[in-house]
Amino acid sequence: MPTLSAAETALVEHARAAPMLDQVLAWSAINSGTRNLAGVAAMGGLLAGAFAKLPGEVTLVEPAPVETVLADGSRAAIDHGKHLLVTVRPAAPLQLLFTGHMDTVFPADHPFQTTVWREQGVLNGPGVADMKGGIALLLAALNAIEASPFAADLGYQVMIGADEETGSLASAALIAEVAHGKLAAFTYEPALPDGTLAGARGGTGNFSITIHGKSAHAGRNPDDGRNAVLAAADLALRLAEARSPLLAVNPAKIEGGGPNNVVPDLAILRVNFRPKDDAAIAVAQAHLDACIAAVAAAHDVRIDCHGSFNRPPKPITPQAARLFDVVKAAGADLGLSIGWRDTGGVCDGNNIAACGIPVVDTMGVRGGAIHSSDEFLITESLPERAALSALAIARIVQKGSL
């Protein structure tokens, strides 16, 4: 590696040598589905112990309150696990942010609970790619930095959330807080199997829309009723009319109804929007408001809308492009070809970018089939991507800017 200095060579060798696979195997054995609070707490405790080896303060932060709409139309608080926060050298002249999440999409009763070797070098298991592998290589990179001469001028925070898979509603305020004042951020979502990173991302908005109608006998006096299920179906069709190349609309579920001989007086429509840019959010919000008003009038029902556009789109700004260039150059010096492409998925990178902080949010392992029982990790990417992170961090420190 002739393009690396002696200090950089020692740095990447240190990162590559960390026992990352052992950590992934141990961590993925713990079910930490977002709603499995006991599992999330166990995972948080293990991570707190692992990150305590860094020379900073480790805390477990209480989740922000989150409200959900239940099947009966009522609103209720929903509990979440604590988030891990690590703060190292907060007075240092250069500050970076590193984020990840300890939760997975697999609930406590999901049949996908164990790891198996699909083939040599390919590990199948819950959360191995998304993102327990990413957390392991982040820790390896930071331990390598701490053992190098690049640490002295670098301060950073690590935030590992407990609810990313359900939208980071309980961690969004913390993400915004820790993003403040940072030069740049890395998030450890998995890269694609070939190493391609996510570039620009669209945004997302999730809404639960409760329709209150009026019950009546379906045979004797149906006209006295106000059919909430029919109104919900009408609303779903109207909302879908906003679909465009810049806005995906997915009416995902209608809950409600009962016996065939009763006009249903309650229904809940769950809908997801995926706007490509801020203008599409404005279009979607205006369309949502107009459709609710029109359906309420047409069906003589009362409608209550709960939700928000919780993750704005993440464009590639000039600052973000420079950060990508740092990663690409570091990869080239390690013999890696780093490319990226736009994606419709969302993650905490959206939240960070909304704070004006450039972020590369797929610095994790190479893997795939995430959110399914086929999820896999390409294990050679653990040392590969740990070295990439360590070198990219060191290059930022040496330059003192992007």
Side-chain angles (χ1 to χ4, degrees):
M1 295 181 290
T3 55
L4 301 187
S5 68
E8 289 174 338
T9 299
L11 172 75
V12 299
E13 289 177 351
H14 191 294
R16 288 169 174 160
M20 292 171 276
L21 181 56
D22 289 343
Q23 289 173 323
V24 173
L25 290 169
W27 295 345
S28 61
I30 297 174
N31 179 290
S32 56
T34 312
R35 304 293 184 224
N36 179 11
L37 298 186
V40 171
M43 190 68 206
L46 283 182
L47 292 178
F51 279 86
K53 296 177 182 178
L54 298 173
E57 179 185 7
V58 178
T59 57
L60 288 167
V61 181
E62 293 288 341
V66 177
E67 186 180 68
T68 190
V69 176
L70 302 179
D72 64 0
S74 64
R75 298 188 182 190
I78 185 167
D79 293 332
H80 290 87
K82 295 180 181 180
H83 316 299
L84 178 71
L85 180 63
V86 184
T87 302
V88 176
R89 290 182 293 275
L94 191 153
Q95 294 288 323
L96 298 178
L97 173 63
F98 307 101
T99 71
H101 62 87
M102 67 183 80
D103 63 321
T104 72
V105 299
F106 306 105
D109 60 353
H110 196 283
F112 187 40
Q113 298 283 349
T114 58
T115 56
V116 297
W117 290 99
R118 176 183 294 181
E119 58 186 79
Q120 185 175 359
V122 180
L123 182 66
N124 165 235
V128 291
D130 187 21
M131 64 163 41
K132 292 173 182 179
I135 297 172
L137 73 85
L138 165 60
L139 181 58
L142 293 178
N143 278 325
I145 286 288
E146 291 300 333
S148 78
F150 307 111
D153 293 330
L154 172 65
Y156 56 89
Q157 289 186 294
V158 178
M159 199 290 293
I160 309 294
D163 70 326
E164 191 276 340
E165 296 292 8
T166 54
S168 297
L169 297 176
S171 56
L174 180 60
I175 294 169
E177 178 184 332
V178 297
H180 179 73
K182 301 300 191 295
L183 176 68
F186 288 151
T187 294
Y188 286 80
E189 294 290 344
L192 293 178
D194 66 359
T196 300
L197 309 182
R201 292 182 181 271
T204 189
N206 291 294
F207 296 85
S208 295
I209 306 170
T210 305
I211 297 94
H212 299 274
K214 182 180 179 182
S215 63
H217 193 287
R220 291 185 176 183
N221 60 329
D223 291 341
D224 291 339
R226 300 293 181 267
N227 192 314
V229 171
L230 183 61
D234 187 11
L235 181 58
L237 291 171
R238 293 181 190 233
L239 290 176
E241 292 175 356
R243 288 181 180 138
S244 76
L246 294 177
L247 179 66
V249 184
N250 183 43
K253 187 177 184 180
I254 294 177
E255 303 166 62
N260 283 356
N261 61 352
V262 177
V263 175
D265 63 352
L266 177 70
I268 302 168
L269 170 64
R270 317 278 185 176
V271 60
N272 173 255
F273 294 88
R274 297 286 175 134
K276 291 288 183 67
D277 55 27
D278 289 339
I281 290 180
V283 168
Q285 187 64 65
H287 185 69
L288 176 62
D289 294 342
C291 287
I292 287 174
V295 169
H299 294 266
D300 191 22
V301 294
R302 178 171 60 85
I303 300 179
D304 177 43
C305 183
H306 177 273
S308 67
F309 288 94
N310 59 302
R311 281 184 166 140
K314 188 199 81 173
I316 298 298
T317 64
Q319 278 187 309
R322 288 195 294 272
L323 183 60
F324 270 104
D325 287 343
V326 170
V327 175
K328 182 176 182 178
D333 288 344
L334 295 171
L336 305 174
S337 178
I338 304 296
W340 52 87
R341 69 184 189 207
D342 297 350
T343 176
V346 295
C347 72
D348 288 343
N350 292 70
N351 300 62
I352 295 166
C355 299
I357 307 302
V359 57
V360 177
D361 55 30
T362 39
M363 292 294 289
V365 297
R366 290 189 285 119
I370 62 172
H371 296 189
S372 80
S373 297
D374 294 322
E375 179 176 352
F376 67 92
L377 156 67
I378 300 171
T379 56
E380 68 178 8
S381 69
L382 287 165
E384 169 192 291
R385 298 286 151 151
L388 176 64
S389 273
L391 185 57
I393 294 165
R395 293 284 171 81
I396 294 171
V397 173
Q398 292 174 84
K399 189 175 180 182
S401 69
L402 296 181

